[in-house]
Every structure is written in C-alpha cells, then in structure tokens.
C-alpha cells in the first residue's frame, strides 16, 4: 500500500505542475498552426515598429517637402530613395507616416478591447451569475445594440459625441461589448453547475470572490479568442470611421484618415492609396491568423487528448 | 410552431421598443435642443424658439414626448428632413431600392462563389485548393472594403477603363423608375444599351460589398461540411456504394446547409454596414450614403428615422431567418 503511494507520488513528480505546464501545452498547440506563428511574428514586428517609430522613420510624419509633391515610390520613374514609398499631395513621406500610424492602430486596438472586454465581463458575469430578471434586462439591452449594424451605430455615436479619435474608440468599444457580454454569460452559465463552484459555495466563499476569482478565470478561453478578433475589427472600424471623416482628424497619420485624404488622387497617384490600405490589411490578417491559432489552442473541443 | 413564433416575437417586441427609445434619445443627446438643430445654421430669435418648442411639444415631460413619438411612428410619420423638407419615410423609400438591389447582387455573388468554394475545400481538405480558398477567405474577411473599392477603381476604371467610377447608370439614359431596381427598370425601358450600362455600374460595387459575406460563407460552409462529412450516415451512404456526387450533394450538403443558411441571413447587418462604405466610394444613391450625408449635413431627423428603419429591417430579416431555421430544424423549435 505504502509502496503504491510512493510510486504514484514519484510518477506525479515527474510531471510539471500548474501554469507552466498549461502554458507549454498551449504553446505546443499554438505553434502547430504555422499561420498563427507567422501572424504572431508579424504582429510583434508591428509592435516594435510602433515603439521605435521615432528612430525608424526617415522623416517626421507631418514634415512637408514642398519640392516633392506626389512623388512616386523609388522604383518608379521620378522617384527617389529619399522617399522610399513616395510622398502624398502635400509632400509628406508616406513611409514615415505609415510607421507612425502603426502606433495609432495598436493604440486603438488596445483601448477598444480593454473597454469592451472589461465592461463586457462585468455585465456578462453579472447576467450569468444572477440569472432571472437581472439577466433578462442585461440581455435585452444587448439585443437592442445588436439590432443596429455595427458601423452605423458607431457612426451615430460619433455624431453625438463629435468626430475625434477618442470618441471613435469609445463608439467602437460600445458597439463591440455586447459580443463579450454574450460570451461571458454563456461561459459563466456553463461553469455554474460545476462541482468546484458548489464546493466553493459550501465553504463559504463570498459572492464577488466567487464570481470574479473562482469562476471567471475558467471562462477566459473564448474571451481571449474574441479579444484577438475584436482587436482586428477595432482597427478596421476605426480606419473606416477615419475614412468617412469621423475618426482621427487630419493631419494625424492614422491609416484610415490617410486613405480619406488620398481619395481624390486615386487616379493620378496609386501609391498614396495603396500603401496605407496594405498596412491595414496585413496587420488585420496577421491578427486574425493569430486569433485562429488561439482558438485552435484554447478550444478544448478541438484538443486531441 | 405557433408557440415558437410567439416566443420569438415576445423577445423581438421589447427589443423594438428599445430601438425606438434609442432613436428617440439620440436626437436629445445631441448638443443643443431639437428646435435649434432643426433651425440649423440659420439660428432664430428667442421668441420664435420658445414658440416652436411649444408647437413641437418639446416643453412637455420627457415620457409624454416619448409616448407621442411612439404614436407618431405607429402612424408611419418619421418626421421631415431639415435639408429637403420631404418626409423621411419618403426619402428612405426612394433610396432603399438602390441599396436593396446592390445588396441582393452582392449576396448573390457571395453565395455563387462562397458556397462551392467552401464545399470543394472541405471535400479536398488539406489540398492546394483548400489552402488557397482559406487564405483568400481570410484575406477577404480582413479586408478594409473601402480600400478594396478604391483599388478596384484604380485598376478597372483608371487603368483598364472597363467600368464607370460612380452612379447606377450612365447619364445618357433617363426613364421613370418602375421597380426602383435599375437592372429591371433598364430592361423595361427598352432603351438600347441601358441594361448593359446598369450592369457595368453594378459590377464593382457588388464585388466590393460581397467580399466579406463571401469569405464568411466560404469559411462557414467548409467547417459545416467537414463536420457533416465525418458523420456516420455519410459513411453509410458511401458504404452503400453511392457515388461521391450523390453522397456530397444529397446527403452531406443538405445537412451542412442549415448553419450556412443562418449565416447568410445574418449577413444583412454586415451588408448594411458595408453599404455605408461601398455607397460612399461609388457615389451609389442608396441608404448607406444617405445616412453618411445626413450625419455630415447634421440632418438629424433623417438620421433618426433611418436608424429606426434600418434596425427594423435588420430585426425583421433576423426573425425571418430564425423562423426558417426553426422550420427546417425541429430541434431548435422544441429545445430553445
């Protein structure tokens, strides 16, 4: 008897415990998806570009060169290596503006996801934990938000708040948070019937602690995936609002705003339109690839045990 | 089935009241009061302002105001545009066919290409075709469609000169709208070349608007097909010696289509959001462009009315999809 216990303990000891093992398992699933790894590498590169924008950018983002209006990229006739990706209609270096623009996109993604995630979790946990009337009220409220096409609601909210980057971010966060509420609520509801929740109740864990410390961490997997996906849609929506003149205002080098300014030159200077859009597209593709990888790695249904 | 319909309506009605509340509150949240907003840039004397406040009932308690607003919309009155002075509902109805036509063409394209691409990708899982479809779908799904529209204009209108840049039909043609759908009206008009012109105007906007739904449909069809192809009854069908066409087309596809139909239905909201951008780029005279213009012209009654009508349309279509779903899948009807 004692021998078996000792054997078992020995066996168990060889396995890594706790978080590190979980992280390792997660990482091995994540890296199985080559696209996700490529997405992650690209995303890290964008973060580095944003951090070192001042060093990397060859020119200041708003510096106008009056002798170089609409100069094409360096490989085209009339281009020069001083402006690798060419200049815009008022002689600003497009590459430098793109480099600085990465800051705005990442900033928008972070802020929008933080607001939507925290409000969404708060409401979702409340609805899923208390059920009954509280749940009905919260969910009906979310249904109302979801009845409007997201971009339209964001547009109207910006019309109320006034056009600016901050207000655009608030509007997009408001539009996105119903999805978090729904996800959190569903996850909390499925956790509520688990034994560990009953056990925690029996030993007298206080309500708030039960909600946010005991249950919530077990609901994080779908929320992390949703956070990645809504990071990318936040960038797209903010760019769309910028494009419609209701997001960041010129001369901010936000990618969507750059496209709005470039619109009238599309038939004359393809580069002023092409590069900002390409920057948005590649960043969003990278984040979505990462999101797909996260889903594969975190979704227990897909895990092959 | 009747209880199912009633239950769905029971959820929908409070939501619709919520939507009216948002539309009602919207105009009161704007800086300045409604009368000043209606006056626009012109301004007015204080006396006239007070009279108008009384006339429109803005001096009454807010709940009474909401009550009369509900009564007003129940009677089909959504107010008048500040700019054109025409009833908002009339403006909406004039422009709606343009958006509906564009959206229908877009969803047609999306299904036409997305569905077969998803099916073939699932059947040939892991093949080059599968990877290409999934890569393209991911790109389409991540596409800033306003940029995509501009690129297509550069290529097809600027360099190749194949398609026009904006509008629904060449200015050379003029006829009274019958259905409001340019493709049909141009055929009915009998004018030579009118239909072709309408088609050429439709190509780029509908490609742009179909991009995201197409990607979503392809992804959804693929994953639904993969799930179904692993089921026992598909193996049975194969074991019985049925040909691959029959197994995939009849046994697998019919079951895989259920979630796909839902996803197609849910694209209505996506289409409206996309229409805002697509119509702005191609100067397409529809609801999306009208909403953007109304916001930038500060024509708030139009924004308010448009908001309400668009939400009503999205909700109705979602209800229709829900009911359809309940009809083809009895499980939903009984367990939900």
């Amino acid at each position: 008897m004692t021998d078996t216990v000792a054997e078992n303990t020995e066996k168990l000891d060889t396995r890594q415990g706790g978080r590190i093992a979980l992280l390792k398992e997660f990482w091995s699933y994540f890296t199985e998806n080559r696209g996700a790894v490529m997405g992650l590498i690209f995303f890290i590169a964008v973060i580095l570009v944003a951090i070192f924008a001042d060093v990397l950018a060859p020119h200041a983002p708003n510096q106008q060169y009056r002798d170089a209006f609409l100069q094409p990229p360096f490989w085209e006739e009339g281009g020069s290596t001083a402006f690798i990706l060419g200049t815009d209609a008022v002689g600003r270096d497009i590459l430098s503006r793109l480099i600085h623009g990465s800051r705005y996109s990442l900033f928008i993604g972070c802020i929008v996801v933080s607001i939507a995630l925290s409000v969404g979790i708060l409401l979702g946990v409340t609805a899923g934990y208390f059920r009954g009337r509280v749940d009905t009220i919260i969910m009906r409220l979310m249904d109302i938000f979801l009845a409007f096409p997201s971009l339209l609601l964001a547009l109207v909210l910006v019309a109320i708040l006034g056009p600016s980057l901050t207000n655009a971010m608030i509007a997009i966060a408001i539009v996105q948070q119903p999805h978090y509420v729904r996800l959190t609520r569903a996850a909390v509801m499925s956790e509520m019937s688990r034994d560990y929740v009953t056990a925690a109740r029996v030993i007298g864990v206080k309500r708030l602690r039960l909600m946010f410390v005991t249950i919530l961490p077990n609901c994080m997997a779908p929320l992390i995936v949703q956070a990645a996906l809504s990071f990318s849609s936040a960038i797209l929506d903010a760019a769309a609002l910028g494009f419609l003149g209701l997001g960041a205002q010129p001369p901010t080098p936000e990618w969507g705003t750059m496209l709005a300014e470039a619109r009238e030159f599309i038939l004359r200077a393809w580069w002023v339109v092409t590069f900002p859009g390409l920057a948005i597209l590649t960043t969003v593709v990278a984040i979505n690839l990462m999101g797909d990888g996260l889903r594969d790695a975190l979704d227990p249904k897909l895990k092959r045990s | 089935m009747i209880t199912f319909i009633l239950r769905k309506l029971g959820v929908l009605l409070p939501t619709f009241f919520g939507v009216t509340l948002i539309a009602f509150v919207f105009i009161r949240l704007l800086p300045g009061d409604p009368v000043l907003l209606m006056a626009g840039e012109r301004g007015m004397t204080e006396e006239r302002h007070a009279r108008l406040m009384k006339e429109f009932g803005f001096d009454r308690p807010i709940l009474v105001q909401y009550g009369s607003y509900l009564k007003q919309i129940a009677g089909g009155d959504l107010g008048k545009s500040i700019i054109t002075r025409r009833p908002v509902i009339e403006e909406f109805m004039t422009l709606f066919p343009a958006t509906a036509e564009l959206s229908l063409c877009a969803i047609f394209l999306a299904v036409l290409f997305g569905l077969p691409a998803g099916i073939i990708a699932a059947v040939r899982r892991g093949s080059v075709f599968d990877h290409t479809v999934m890569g393209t779908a991911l790109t389409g799904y991540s596409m800033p469609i306003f940029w995509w529209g501009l690129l297509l204009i550069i290529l097809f209108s600027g360099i190749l000169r194949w398609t026009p840049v904006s509008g629904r039909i060449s200015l050379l043609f003029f006829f009274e709208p019958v259905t409001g759908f340019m493709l049909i009206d141009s055929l009915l008009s009998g004018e030579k070349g009118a239909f072709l012109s309408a088609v050429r105007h439709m190509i780029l906007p509908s490609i742009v608007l179909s991009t995201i739904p197409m990607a979503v449909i392809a992804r959804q069809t693929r994953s639904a097909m993969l799930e179904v192809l692993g089921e026992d009854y598909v193996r049975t069908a194969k074991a019985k010696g049925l040909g691959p066409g029959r197994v995939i087309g009849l046994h697998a596809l019919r079951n895989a289509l259920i979630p796909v139909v839902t996803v197609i239905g849910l694209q209505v909201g996506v289409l409206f959001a996309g229409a805002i951008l697509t119509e702005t780029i191609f100067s397409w005279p529809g609801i999306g462009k009208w909403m953007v213009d109304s916001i930038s012209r500060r024509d708030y009654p139009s924004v308010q009315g448009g908001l309400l009508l668009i939400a009503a349309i999205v909700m109705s279509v979602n209800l229709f999809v829900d009911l359809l779903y309940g009809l083809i899948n009895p499980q939903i009807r009984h367990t939900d």
Side-chain angles (χ1 to χ4, degrees):
Chain A
M1 183 78 187
T2 9
D3 281 357
T4 359
V5 171
E7 260 172 37
N8 274 344
T9 335
E10 226 167 274
K11 259 185 204 161
L12 285 175
D13 276 349
T14 56
R15 279 166 46 167
Q16 285 169 311
R19 268 178 208 169
I20 298 170
L22 273 177
L23 272 177
K24 268 199 175 156
E25 192 198 32
F26 162 76
W27 183 246
S28 80
Y29 281 124
F30 185 80
T31 45
E32 258 177 44
N33 186 336
R34 260 186 303 165
V37 177
M38 271 155 53
L40 180 68
I41 293 172
F42 190 88
F43 187 61
I44 292 174
V46 176
I47 295 176
L48 290 177
V49 165
I51 294 173
F52 298 108
D54 292 324
V55 189
L56 288 170
H59 306 274
N62 292 331
Q63 169 83 43
Q64 300 180 5
Y65 294 91
R66 286 171 195 286
D67 47 350
F69 291 153
L70 288 178
Q71 192 170 311
F74 77 94
W75 61 85
E76 292 254 314
E77 211 182 306
S80 80
T81 44
F83 307 106
I84 295 175
L85 296 182
T87 60
D88 64 9
V90 288
R92 293 173 298 197
D93 180 40
I94 289 178
L95 179 64
S96 308
R97 287 178 71 69
L98 288 180
I99 290 175
H100 279 271
S102 64
R103 286 184 171 175
Y104 289 92
S105 288
L106 294 180
F107 179 66
I108 291 163
C110 289
I111 299 288
V112 167
V113 170
S114 321
I115 300 177
L117 189 69
S118 43
V119 177
I121 283 179
L122 201 67
L123 291 175
V125 171
T126 312
Y129 184 88
F130 291 106
R131 304 301 310 272
R133 201 170 288 171
V134 182
D135 181 32
T136 312
I137 293 173
I138 292 179
M139 293 324 286
R140 285 298 88 78
L141 212 64
M142 294 305 120
D143 282 346
I144 297 170
F145 281 113
L146 290 171
F148 298 99
S150 58
L151 186 64
L152 178 69
L153 190 57
L155 270 177
V156 170
L157 287 171
V158 173
I160 297 173
L161 300 167
S164 77
L165 185 60
T166 318
N167 292 341
M169 288 192 294
I170 296 172
I172 297 168
I174 293 178
V175 171
Q176 284 195 355
Q177 54 87 22
H179 300 285
Y180 288 97
V181 177
R182 281 192 158 186
L183 274 177
T184 317
R185 171 178 174 269
V188 168
M189 272 163 51
S190 75
E191 291 297 311
M192 286 293 282
S193 56
R194 296 283 180 88
D195 288 341
Y196 76 91
V197 179
T198 320
R201 272 201 180 137
V202 170
I203 58 167
V205 174
K206 291 255 165 55
R207 189 183 277 161
L208 276 180
R209 191 178 163 83
L210 189 64
M211 282 163 78
F212 293 99
V213 183
T214 313
I215 299 176
L216 184 61
N218 293 299
C219 306
M220 285 315 280
L223 291 175
I224 292 172
V225 177
Q226 175 67 25
L229 296 177
S230 79
F231 197 102
S232 63
S233 59
I235 293 180
L236 277 179
D237 283 354
L241 287 178
F243 179 74
L244 293 171
L246 292 164
Q249 298 298 309
T252 315
E254 195 271 324
W255 294 338
T257 314
M258 282 173 74
L259 274 174
E261 290 176 71
R263 244 184 97 185
E264 46 188 307
F265 305 102
I266 55 168
L267 295 180
R268 277 201 285 149
W270 59 268
W271 57 92
V272 283
V273 178
T274 310
F275 296 123
L278 212 53
I280 302 173
L281 177 65
T282 46
T283 311
V284 171
V285 166
I287 298 169
N288 282 343
L289 276 172
M290 246 166 56
D292 282 354
L294 279 175
R295 192 183 47 218
D296 291 353
L298 290 171
D299 191 342
K301 263 188 277 176
L302 294 171
K303 274 187 190 169
R304 297 126 286 186
S305 52
Chain B
M1 189 69 201
I2 291 174
T3 19
F4 178 68
I5 296 176
L6 286 177
R7 208 166 50 212
K8 288 282 164 198
L9 278 175
V11 177
L12 199 70
L13 280 177
T15 314
F16 185 71
F17 273 108
V19 168
T20 59
L21 194 64
I22 289 206
F24 171 77
V25 168
F26 157 72
I27 213 153
R28 281 155 185 86
L29 281 179
L30 291 161
D33 65 55
V35 169
L36 281 180
L37 286 173
M38 277 181 218
E41 313 273 298
R42 285 167 294 158
M44 59 172 68
T45 62
E46 226 159 78
E47 188 197 347
R48 187 171 151 73
H49 176 245
R51 207 185 60 219
L52 282 176
M53 283 292 275
K54 203 171 165 64
E55 197 180 310
F56 286 110
F58 290 128
D59 56 344
R60 291 177 300 165
I62 197 92
L63 269 179
V64 179
Q65 285 186 44
Y66 179 56
S68 62
Y69 174 67
L70 283 183
K71 217 185 270 171
Q72 208 188 325
I73 49 179
D77 178 11
L78 293 177
K80 275 184 185 164
S81 156
I82 294 173
I83 309 289
T84 59
R85 300 268 162 204
R86 284 176 61 204
V88 170
I89 187 117
E90 233 179 86
E91 298 242 293
F92 190 91
M93 288 306 170
T94 324
L95 298 169
F96 183 67
T99 303
E101 186 182 32
L102 176 60
S103 304
L104 284 174
C105 285
I107 205 78
F108 174 73
L109 278 184
V111 174
L112 186 69
F113 292 101
L115 201 65
I119 295 171
I120 300 172
V123 174
R124 300 200 184 148
R125 186 184 189 176
S127 67
V128 178
F129 184 84
D130 182 21
H131 288 301
T132 317
V133 168
M134 284 301 99
T136 317
L138 180 79
T139 315
Y141 186 71
S142 314
M143 188 65 85
I145 60 166
F146 46 99
W147 174 68
W148 178 224
L150 295 178
L151 281 193
L152 291 179
I153 291 178
I154 294 182
L155 182 63
F156 290 105
S157 309
I159 300 173
L160 298 170
R161 299 199 175 278
W162 288 354
T163 51
V165 181
S166 64
R168 294 179 75 187
I169 196 160
S170 165
L171 293 173
L172 297 172
F173 303 102
F174 183 78
F175 38 81
E176 280 300 314
V178 184
T179 58
F181 282 43
M182 200 53 94
L183 293 175
I184 299 175
D185 286 356
S186 59
L187 270 181
L188 292 178
S189 77
E191 283 191 52
K192 219 178 142 201
F195 179 68
L196 206 66
S197 171
V199 171
R200 279 164 42 117
H201 280 79
M202 177 59 84
I203 294 172
L204 289 191
S206 56
I207 290 178
V208 169
L209 191 55
S210 72
T211 307
I212 292 178
M214 196 187 294
V216 173
I217 289 172
R219 276 168 77 121
Q220 183 66 44
T221 309
R222 178 179 177 271
S223 68
M225 271 305 267
L226 279 180
E227 204 162 293
V228 171
L229 286 176
E231 294 282 342
D232 288 344
Y233 62 82
V234 171
R235 200 175 44 207
T236 312
K238 276 186 196 157
K240 280 199 309 190
L242 298 182
R246 212 173 152 73
V247 173
I248 294 162
L250 202 69
H251 291 252
L253 186 61
R254 264 167 66 176
N255 287 295
L257 273 184
I258 297 173
V260 175
V261 168
T262 319
V263 163
I264 294 173
L266 294 178
Q267 295 305 305
V268 183
V270 177
L271 283 174
F272 262 116
I276 293 172
L277 295 165
T278 312
E279 291 179 2
T280 306
I281 298 165
F282 291 99
S283 303
W284 190 267
I287 298 300
K289 186 172 183 305
W290 174 68
M291 284 301 275
V292 174
D293 290 345
S294 299
I295 287 175
S296 61
R297 288 190 301 223
R298 305 175 74 84
D299 183 356
Y300 294 119
S302 296
V303 178
Q304 189 186 31
L307 203 57
L308 193 67
L309 288 169
I310 292 174
I313 291 171
V314 172
M315 284 168 69
S316 317
V317 176
N318 286 351
L319 176 72
F320 178 72
V321 172
D322 266 358
L323 295 182
L324 199 69
Y325 198 32
L327 202 68
I328 48 181
N329 189 354
Q331 270 180 335
I332 299 291
R333 208 154 68 212
H334 295 299
T335 56
D336 191 30

